[in-house]
């Protein structure tokens, strides 16, 4: 009897999005320009491997600004910060470089604009997530968190004609739309953000996982447990028909029993995951007979973001000084 064919369906897009690429590059360029140490408030992106790699190059990760020596350089993470964090940096005379993803900054601007117009803002997101804390900090008196569809019943607003929803950028698209649908049942005049808050990379990665999941015995997503978009990918895979789904930081975390009886394995990675970690997973699977890899592509991503303005200015000045000296 012939053995069933073993194969891997490799999702594309996967891995680094433009905002993550920009944030990681910001720390790398800051280390080159200013020298170690460069302090980073919170994890620059939610990925264990990326953080460990940057630490080995001289980045020091802290939770709050008060841990950064006065006058030192601090980079704010891709997830965004509340205005008070900028104020604290100024008080400590820190050289602050803001690596907030521009798509998160867009949500901050929306929050400020609607608050200025005295709207109640329903922010759909996960309680305690750094992005939610940063966005809510823009207009705390106007923003209330809605943590999924089941939280809709707890919403209290002042004027049903002046209410808008915004969202964290890394949520499940389907769950967010379910939350919005429930909100609109209660609040028929609820307004939507001017453009979708869930970022293109989150949507794209969920879309391709949905496409391959029904054919998969198991889906392996490379990503860290504190990465919202990575956790959502596993949930989306299971919801779309994968028989099993697992989140791993490294190939070494894959358990042999997950592959027992499996013929088709789906592989993807969260938006803060370098592709080298995915290649290690493919090598692990190939050693166990899953050597046939088909890349399944649903979108091409070409978006890039320029580095933070304050960093570009200093890089330009350093280049000019070096040219003058030579």
């Amino acid at each position: 009897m012939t053995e069933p064919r073993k194969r891997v369906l490799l999702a594309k897009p996967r891995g680094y999005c433009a905002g993550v690429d920009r944030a990681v590059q910001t720390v790398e360029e800051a280390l080159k320009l200013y020298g170690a140490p460069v302090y980073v408030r919170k994890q620059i992106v939610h990925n264990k491997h990326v953080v460990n790699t940057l630490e080995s190059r001289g980045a020091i990760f802290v939770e709050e600004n008060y841990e950064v020596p006065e006058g030192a350089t601090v980079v704010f993470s891709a997830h965004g910060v509340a205005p008070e964090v900028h104020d604290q940096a100024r008080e400590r005379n820190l050289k602050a470089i803001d690596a907030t993803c521009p798509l998160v900054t867009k949500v901050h601007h929306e929050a400020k604009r609607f608050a200025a117009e005295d709207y109640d803002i329903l922010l759909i997101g996960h309680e305690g997530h750094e992005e939610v804390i940063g966005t809510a900090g823009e207009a705390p008196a106007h923003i209330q968190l809605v943590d999924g569809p089941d939280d809709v019943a707890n919403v209290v607003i002042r004027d049903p004609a002046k209410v808008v929803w915004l969202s964290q950028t890394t949520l499940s698209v389907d769950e967010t739309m379910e939350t919005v649908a429930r909100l609109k049942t209660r609040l028929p005049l609820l307004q939507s953000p001017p453009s979708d808050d869930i970022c293109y990379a989150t949507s794209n990665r969920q879309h391709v996982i949905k496409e391959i999941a029904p054919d998969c015995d198991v889906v392996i997503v490379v990503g860290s447990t504190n990465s919202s978009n990575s956790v959502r990918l596993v949930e989306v895979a299971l919801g779309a028909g994968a028989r099993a789904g697992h989140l791993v930081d490294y190939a070494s975390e894959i358990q042999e029993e997950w592959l027992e009886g499996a013929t088709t394995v789906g592989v993807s990675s969260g938006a803060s995951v370098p592709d080298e970690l995915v290649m290690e997973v493919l090598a692990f699977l190939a050693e166990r007979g899953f050597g046939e890899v088909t890349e399944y592509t649903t979108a091409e991503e070409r978006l890039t973001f320029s580095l933070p303005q304050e960093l570009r200015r200093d890089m330009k000045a350093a280049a000019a000084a070096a040219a003058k000296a030579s």
Side-chain angles (χ1 to χ4, degrees):
M1 187 174 153
T2 57
E3 287 245 338
R5 196 183 81 188
K6 290 181 174 183
R7 62 179 183 151
V8 173
L9 296 182
L10 178 61
K12 185 183 177 183
R14 62 179 179 276
Y16 270 17
C17 62
V20 164
D21 197 30
R22 172 183 187 262
V24 173
Q25 202 184 337
T26 295
V27 179
E28 291 171 343
E29 292 296 339
L31 283 164
K32 277 188 225 166
L33 188 61
Y34 310 121
V38 165
Y39 292 83
V40 184
R41 184 185 177 277
K42 308 288 187 185
Q43 291 190 357
I44 186 67
V45 296
H46 286 156
N47 183 264
K48 194 186 289 186
H49 177 78
V50 171
V51 169
N52 290 344
T53 301
L54 291 173
E55 273 182 334
S56 72
R57 295 179 186 173
I60 296 176
F61 290 86
V62 298
E63 285 300 302
E64 298 297 346
N65 283 337
Y66 67 77
E67 299 170 63
V68 182
E70 288 215 17
T73 298
V74 64
V75 178
F76 296 147
S77 81
H79 309 104
V81 296
E84 65 182 20
V85 175
H86 288 280
D87 295 340
Q88 292 162 1
R90 278 190 289 271
E91 284 164 18
R92 293 187 60 76
N93 194 30
L94 302 179
K95 181 178 188 59
I97 297 170
D98 191 352
T100 300
C101 172
L103 299 178
V104 174
T105 300
K106 176 182 82 76
V107 182
H108 282 228
H109 289 324
E110 290 169 355
K112 285 189 281 192
R113 180 163 72 81
F114 283 111
E117 295 171 14
D118 202 32
Y119 275 73
D120 281 328
I121 300 165
L122 305 179
L123 177 60
I124 301 171
H126 296 302
E127 188 166 5
H129 190 278
E130 284 157 44
E131 186 185 324
V132 164
I133 293 167
T135 302
E138 293 287 0
H142 289 264
I143 291 178
Q144 58 185 300
L145 181 66
V146 183
D147 196 341
D150 295 338
D151 203 18
V152 169
N154 301 319
V155 167
V156 179
I157 53 138
R158 295 168 298 158
D159 180 354
K162 287 198 79 171
V163 59
V164 64
W165 68 271
L166 303 176
S167 84
Q168 184 180 329
T169 62
T170 54
L171 299 178
S172 158
V173 176
D174 290 344
E175 186 179 294
T176 302
M177 290 302 102
E178 185 187 339
T179 304
V180 171
R182 288 200 200 180
L183 284 169
K184 285 188 172 172
T185 302
R186 279 196 58 196
L187 302 162
L189 299 177
L190 177 70
Q191 292 191 36
S192 300
S195 60
D196 197 350
D197 285 347
I198 294 178
C199 92
Y200 76 95
T202 299
S203 302
N204 286 347
R205 281 149 190 71
Q206 289 177 18
H207 179 65
V208 66
I209 276 284
K210 270 189 191 175
E211 293 286 316
I212 65 174
D215 295 326
C216 294
D217 299 303
V218 59
V219 168
I220 294 169
V221 175
V222 187
S224 293
T225 53
N226 65 336
S227 165
S228 176
N229 76 86
S230 300
V231 172
R232 299 292 85 74
L233 284 176
V234 177
E235 294 172 356
V236 168
L238 292 170
R243 262 70 83 199
H246 303 280
L247 184 67
V248 298
D249 268 299
Y250 299 102
S252 57
E253 295 171 12
I254 298 171
Q255 296 178 28
E256 299 287 351
E257 55 263 34
W258 297 348
L259 305 176
E260 283 174 14
T263 57
T264 302
V265 177
V267 174
S268 186
S269 58
S272 47
V273 177
D275 214 41
E276 67 195 81
L277 300 183
V278 176
M279 295 304 115
E280 288 170 10
V281 166
L282 295 181
F284 178 98
L285 292 170
E287 287 169 7
R288 285 147 186 86
F290 293 87
E292 183 189 321
V293 178
T294 303
E295 191 166 55
Y296 195 101
T297 306
T298 56
E300 293 290 341
E301 293 179 349
R302 294 187 175 86
L303 184 66
T304 58
F305 295 129
S306 56
L307 292 171
Q309 188 179 352
E310 53 273 24
L311 180 61
R312 279 186 285 131
R313 188 182 57 233
D314 286 358
M315 289 169 71
K316 193 174 173 182
K324 194 175 178 184
S326 62

